[in-house]
Amino acid sequence: MIKEVIEILKPENKKNIVDATFGTGGHSLEILKKTKGNLFAFEKDPYLYERGKKTFENFKNFKIFNKSFTEIPEILKKEGINKIDGILFDFGLSFYHVSSSNRGFTFKRKEILDMRYNPYENEELYKKLKKINLKDIEFILKEYGELKNYKKISLNIYKGIKEKEIKYTDEFNEIILKNIKHNKEKVLQKVYQAFRIWINEEIENIKKALSFLPQIMESGGIAIFLSYHSLEDRIIKNFLKNSYFKSITKKPLTPSEEEIEEKPNCHSCKLRAGEKI
């Protein structure tokens, strides 16, 4: 939804903008085409950070940091920036992570079951699975996967990881789908989503960012959020209702049919935006 982002953000009028979730840099590039102000980008994945740093090296008003967006206030302070007047959060999974990171973000190929955005932080998912109990798994699948049959699938996973070493995606798929006869691909998709959100602490990080956002933004500054999960969208919706921001999208914007046809994975995207009061 680059077109909608640029129309709402109006980067040509901004002095200091943050791309909180750089990814492969699609949004940053379009912002830089429009603005003479500074653009500060944050990317947790070290590979995407290095690629972005090299690709955008000719933009003098661009700076990228290999940091989580939860660290934005500290980084801005070091850069001598008191307030920003524009920020974009895209909570979607980068195409790179699914297509070529080889970290187990997809159930469609045999890869090591890792799922960390930064492979130098924390532990791989297959190691963490050994340390969690059945109740933990049920919570993860119910809360982050929104699976109706989460208890059955949780028991499959719990028994499976107790019976044998699960290190690769194909092994994980096998225990997830035990006695599952319908909607197998959808089940796998939701389970992978749930564990990705959990291991990367995505929901906690969103809440942390929202807690400091009012303090780092100028009055009149624009904050844009792209979410792909009902829990994310609900958090953003409530934030814009009960905060220092006024919503400038009465209803969430969604991708056009043409964009969905071109990028099927964006079908669940919802864009909400607010203006700092």
Side-chain angles (χ1 to χ4, degrees), residues 1-14 17-19 25-36 39 56 85-90 222-226 248-249 253 259 263 271-273:
M1 300 185 72
I2 289 177
K3 179 176 174 285
E4 292 85 349
V5 166
I6 297 300
E7 285 177 355
I8 295 170
L9 185 61
K10 295 181 174 58
E12 62 273 13
N13 301 328
K14 302 292 184 288
I17 304 170
V18 168
D19 183 348
H27 287 115
S28 279
L29 180 59
E30 295 305 314
I31 291 169
L32 286 166
K33 287 178 183 178
K34 300 281 186 180
T35 189
K36 291 182 180 178
L39 177 61
F56 287 71
D85 49 8
I87 191 166
L88 168 66
F89 293 89
D90 184 346
I222 301 296
I224 300 175
F225 308 91
L226 299 175
I248 53 178
T249 46
L253 304 182
E259 187 168 7
K263 303 172 187 174
L271 185 157
R272 293 186 188 270

Side-chain angles (χ1 to χ4, degrees), residues 37-261:
N38 300 309
L39 177 61
F40 301 96
F42 289 76
E43 178 48 57
K44 194 171 181 179
D45 188 300
Y47 171 79
L48 292 179
Y49 160 74
E50 290 294 342
R51 192 169 87 169
K53 192 177 178 182
K54 187 174 181 180
T55 305
F56 287 71
E57 62 185 355
N58 292 328
F59 288 95
K60 303 302 179 188
N61 57 338
F62 173 81
K63 203 163 188 179
I64 187 169
F65 303 91
N66 187 200
K67 299 285 185 181
S68 164
F69 58 71
T70 59
E71 300 175 74
I72 287 173
E74 293 82 0
I75 298 299
L76 291 178
K77 189 176 180 181
K78 287 180 183 177
E79 292 296 311
I81 305 295
N82 293 321
K83 302 272 187 178
I84 59 172
D85 49 8
I87 191 166
L88 168 66
F89 293 89
D90 184 346
F91 300 124
L93 183 64
S94 169
F95 180 67
Y96 156 75
H97 287 121
V98 176
S99 65
S100 52
S101 71
N102 297 312
R103 292 186 216 148
F105 285 99
T106 177
F107 57 84
K108 294 181 179 180
R109 289 190 305 276
K110 182 178 180 179
E111 297 177 354
I112 194 163
L113 198 59
D114 186 330
M115 287 203 202
R116 295 169 298 168
Y117 291 135
N118 187 336
Y120 302 110
E121 289 182 1
N122 213 319
E123 288 182 309
E124 299 95 322
L125 178 58
Y126 78 87
K127 290 180 181 176
K128 295 203 76 164
L129 282 174
K130 297 174 186 175
K131 303 174 185 178
I132 59 177
N133 59 39
L134 179 59
K135 289 293 180 186
D136 292 332
I137 299 171
E138 287 180 349
F139 173 82
I140 292 165
L141 296 192
K142 182 183 179 183
E143 189 77 3
Y144 304 142
E146 299 180 315
L147 282 151
K148 291 179 181 178
N149 53 345
Y150 70 93
K151 287 200 171 185
K152 179 179 180 180
I153 298 166
S154 296
L155 192 58
N156 285 349
I157 294 171
Y158 183 70
K159 285 182 176 179
I161 59 181
K162 293 296 178 187
E163 288 171 4
K164 62 177 181 177
E165 174 88 6
I166 302 296
K167 190 174 181 180
Y168 294 94
T169 51
D170 59 337
E171 298 165 337
F172 196 40
N173 296 350
E174 187 180 337
I175 64 170
I176 291 167
L177 295 177
K178 189 175 182 181
N179 301 320
I180 301 295
K181 296 178 181 178
H182 306 290
N183 301 318
K184 292 183 178 183
E185 188 161 314
K186 192 171 184 180
V187 166
L188 289 172
Q189 186 179 358
K190 285 179 172 288
V191 170
Y192 273 66
Q193 170 188 279
F195 278 102
R196 187 205 79 225
I197 290 172
W198 173 70
I199 195 170
N200 291 293
E201 299 180 346
E202 293 181 32
I203 300 302
E204 292 85 349
N205 288 342
I206 291 171
K207 290 178 179 178
K208 184 175 181 180
L210 296 180
S211 72
F212 63 65
L213 202 53
Q215 285 74 52
I216 66 167
M217 293 203 72
E218 298 272 12
S219 294
I222 301 296
I224 300 175
F225 308 91
L226 299 175
S227 60
Y228 301 78
H229 184 280
S230 61
L231 182 54
E232 294 169 348
D233 182 58
R234 193 156 59 246
I235 292 167
I236 300 304
K237 181 182 178 180
N238 291 335
F239 170 76
L240 292 174
K241 274 183 180 178
N242 306 296
S243 71
Y244 297 95
F245 288 78
K246 65 175 181 180
S247 178
I248 53 178
T249 46
K250 290 183 180 179
K251 291 184 178 180
L253 304 182
T254 55
S256 65
E257 289 182 12
E258 292 79 12
E259 187 168 7
I260 292 172
E261 194 173 323

